[in-house]
Amino acid sequence: MLIVLTAILFALIGLAVGAGGIRLLMLGGSPYYLLAGLGFLLTAFLLFRRQAAALWVYALVVVGSLAWAVWEVGFDWWQLGPRGGIIILLGLWLLTPWIRRPLGFVSPSGAHYSATAWPLAVASLVSIGVAIFAMTQDPHDIRGELPSDAVAANANLGGNVPPGEWHQYGRTPFGQRYSPLDQINAENVANLRVAWQYQTGDVKRPDDVGETTYQVTPLKVKDTLYLCTPHNWAIALDAATGQEKWKYDSNSGMNPDRQHQTCRGVTYWADPAAAPGGPCAERVYLPTSDARLIALDAANGEVCTSFADNGVLHLEQGMRYNPAGYYYSTSPPVAVAGKIIVGGAVNDNYSTQEQSGVIRAFDINSGALLWNWDSGNPDQTAPLPAGQFYTTNSPNSWSVSSVDEGLGLIYVPLGNQVPDQLGMGRSEHVEKYSSSIVALDINTGAMRWVRQTVHHDLWDMDVPAQPSLIDITKEDGTVVPALVGPTKQGDLYVLDRRSGEPIIPVEEVAAPGGAIPEDFTAPTQPVSGLTFMPAPLEEHDMWGITMFDQLACRIAFRSLKYEGRYTPPSLEGTLVYPGNFGTFNWGSVAVDPERQVLFGMPTYLAFTSRLVPRDQIPPKQEGETGSEQGLNRNEGAPYGVYMGPFLGPLQIPCQAPPWGYVAGADLRTGKIAYKHKNGTVYDMTPLPIPFKLGVPGIGGPIITKGGVAFLGAAVDNYLRAYDVTTGSQLWETRLPAGGQSTPMTYTVGDKQYVLMVAGGHGSVGTKPGDYVIAYTLP
């Protein structure tokens, strides 16, 4: 009976793999699966006939599969495993006595002999040996070291921030995410312990949108920490103990049309003209998801009623269209030179009639509008007169800006005009400024320079990250004030921040064509000389847990339109790689201004997009909430778009791992020194298995003078410390929720702390929470 059941199983596998193999071959794919399916069917036939040749045939299947797998992917264990796992297990099953014995023969003397095992046994043992060898290899790893000596003895950190404090999102106006503290260093970081833990009480609700996320980096000023929560509470904590000093609830309400429910940080400002200790002499500005900016007294959390409209600035002013939930500020505004400069997030792909992406500067004390820079109407920077409107749907800045007050410039990362995947009818100004870094005059809002990172963006390749400002020493000893701008597509632009001209060369390369008839593509796209862009995907990069879902991913890959990076959107479906999740996202990178090196977390996930004609878009369902994934309706446009990660039948990425790394680069030479897999599948699978696969992440790192980088971000719930020089992991600690915020570090007295907010991220599905955790040495 067992041999009959085994034969049936082999026949079913043969039919499934063979049929899929025919489909794949018709799409121009590998013939292996058809041949393997025939091998399974022949083995099944011989098993039914109880012929020993079944073992010989299956031995050929094993040997052929091994040779094909090694030819395709070399000795990469995570690629070999899905190709051979089931095949080897079935081979071992055929070697058992209860299968081999019925396949044997009876001698004239009546003795019963099992079928010979050696052909299949040798094939199986060789395959297992190759697998064991592959487990010792890491073909994706780049090993090397960053220079450890300081290039600049008195590096420019940007702004007058005491060493033990963290005044802005990236610590200083330069956005370096670098701390000059060194009490915690590579030698003792493994001794870190929890000093205190605080829970905000703001937790994810049943009626929240899917992308409710906790991305805040707290500020530390004097003895107090200031932070916000996803539902826009502002909180002040004692930096030494974590005890709550005050809490303010903005009552921003709930709205299912919000694409995101988050807060990345608050803005601190000390009024130099105010009497110390007076009301609102020091302020915290809280952005909210219902498009307000609220000024609070940093001492007690009370609203500063002298600002704007009784303490509240309404950001919908000047918008021709104002659909609720479509516009809000997810990132902290910039406080500089008596101004507060505010951008805003506009919902992606909801409508052609959304709010403007205008950047505005207000008097930081009164809230009066001082200037506005609208990328759809860039020459009119004087305050917009009553009765006029900003440009609908102009490219917006939803991330964090950086400032060089000495040069009088603010550096703004800009997104794309929505709808992202449809470029018809964009104005000359939009074509110039979309998906770029723009330098604006702090005092007037006038544009000083622009560096576009994608031409005619059809892929949602916003510039997502705060630029990092750093002075770079060239080989001849001259010092160039530089800007480092990470992008979703993996390029890192290293520019002279005075002019926007490249320090590390940027070249234009040919890009795919073939847009829909109403649209067009740019013939070339820029590529920086310092880039983490991945190699183009090929069929052999498709992955799965088993040969079956890997085959399904191969068929899906061959069915999609894909000619490499910047393949345009299509009606049949396009593979977008890197996907709009980004190689780098809002977490940015961290730079060391003394050593002039960079530490970052490149992530690689392919996405798909498929345009849908307007008459084929289904009606909106009751209870449908905002999301960047799934159907984006693009109301008012001729097409909607289905978007999402490129996943297989088991809802794991179709492309092979690693999906996430930590990496270091020398900013003086533009060379990548190392790149190591980062993170485990501990929280991605039903069983908590700590396989270091290299997992996706979203969030950012920091660097300290102690030579340590701290990073959460990965989709396993850990905070980790790394050696900045080599990228090797030095320490990790389990977090009670997803760690998709960027950590920070500070001192109280003579003790250094590392602070992490763990609250999860709706887009990547990590565990939600409301934790603020401080670590220190014993």
Side-chain angles (χ1 to χ4, degrees), residues 442-465:
I442 291 171
N443 293 314
T444 67
M447 193 275 293
R448 297 302 181 206
W449 58 258
V450 58
R451 171 64 55 175
Q452 190 168 60
T453 66
V454 187
H455 306 320
H456 194 63
D457 185 357
L458 301 175
W459 306 272
D460 187 22
M461 290 298 164
D462 304 341
V463 179

Side-chain angles (χ1 to χ4, degrees), residues 556-590:
F557 174 79
R558 288 290 184 179
S559 302
L560 291 165
K561 182 176 181 178
Y562 180 63
E563 299 172 22
R565 195 164 75 151
Y566 301 122
T567 303
S570 62
L571 292 168
E572 65 264 36
T574 292
L575 186 63
V576 182
Y577 186 63
N580 61 337
F581 190 79
T583 304
F584 298 101
N585 208 295
W586 54 264
S588 195
V589 296

Side-chain angles (χ1 to χ4, degrees), residues 69-70 73-83 130-131 133-135 137-140 543 656-658 677 693:
V70 172
V73 297
F75 296 103
D76 182 345
W77 157 247
W78 291 107
Q79 285 266 48
L80 293 176
R83 286 167 167 80
V130 169
F133 173 74
M135 289 178 185
Q137 307 302 301
D138 192 351
H140 305 281
W543 196 66
K677 289 188 298 188
L693 199 61

Side-chain angles (χ1 to χ4, degrees), residues 692-707:
K692 190 172 184 179
L693 199 61
V695 298
I698 190 164
I702 64 169
I703 289 178
T704 71
K705 188 179 176 68

Side-chain angles (χ1 to χ4, degrees), residues 6-237:
T6 301
I8 292 172
L9 175 63
F10 272 68
L12 292 173
I13 291 174
L15 289 171
V17 173
I22 292 172
R23 171 68 175 150
L24 181 62
L25 200 58
M26 291 174 63
L27 292 168
S30 170
Y32 163 78
Y33 289 91
L34 175 57
L35 296 174
L38 293 173
F40 271 95
L41 287 172
L42 182 55
T43 303
F45 174 76
L46 295 171
L47 288 172
F48 271 118
R49 298 289 301 270
R50 286 175 167 75
Q51 294 187 13
L55 301 187
W56 286 85
V57 169
Y58 197 69
L60 290 175
V61 171
V62 172
V63 170
S65 297
L66 175 64
W68 164 76
V70 172
W71 172 75
E72 273 208 324
V73 297
F75 296 103
D76 182 345
W77 157 247
W78 291 107
Q79 285 266 48
L80 293 176
R83 286 167 167 80
I86 287 177
I87 291 173
I88 297 303
L89 288 175
L90 291 173
L92 296 176
W93 172 250
L94 293 183
L95 290 172
T96 60
W98 42 88
I99 299 297
R100 283 197 304 117
R101 186 175 178 82
L103 299 179
F105 67 95
V106 179
S107 71
S109 63
H112 194 287
Y113 294 91
S114 299
T116 183
W118 71 264
L120 182 53
V122 170
S124 299
L125 286 173
V126 170
S127 298
I128 292 170
V130 169
I132 292 172
F133 173 74
M135 289 178 185
T136 67
Q137 307 302 301
D138 192 351
H140 305 281
D141 193 64
I142 299 174
R143 294 188 177 274
E145 293 189 1
L146 290 170
S148 56
D149 293 336
V151 179
N154 298 298
N156 186 1
L157 307 187
N160 186 26
V161 178
E165 300 193 10
W166 196 283
H167 283 196
Q168 299 198 22
Y169 180 77
R171 202 184 89 84
T172 76
F174 277 19
Q176 295 170 344
R177 292 163 185 77
Y178 171 81
S179 169
L181 301 178
D182 60 3
Q183 183 182 100
I184 298 170
N185 53 54
E187 284 69 43
N188 62 24
V189 66
N191 298 322
L192 283 179
R193 300 291 183 269
V194 174
W196 54 260
Q197 178 175 294
Y198 169 82
Q199 290 184 254
T200 67
D202 184 3
V203 295
K204 190 171 183 178
R205 308 174 187 178
D207 55 344
D208 262 319
V209 296
E211 277 121 26
T212 297
T213 64
Y214 208 177
Q215 302 172 349
V216 67
T217 298
L219 308 182
K220 193 266 185 177
V221 182
K222 300 175 185 175
D223 62 352
T224 304
L225 297 165
Y226 300 101
L227 62 144
C228 56
T229 70
H231 296 98
N232 310 132
W233 303 354
I235 299 173
L237 304 177

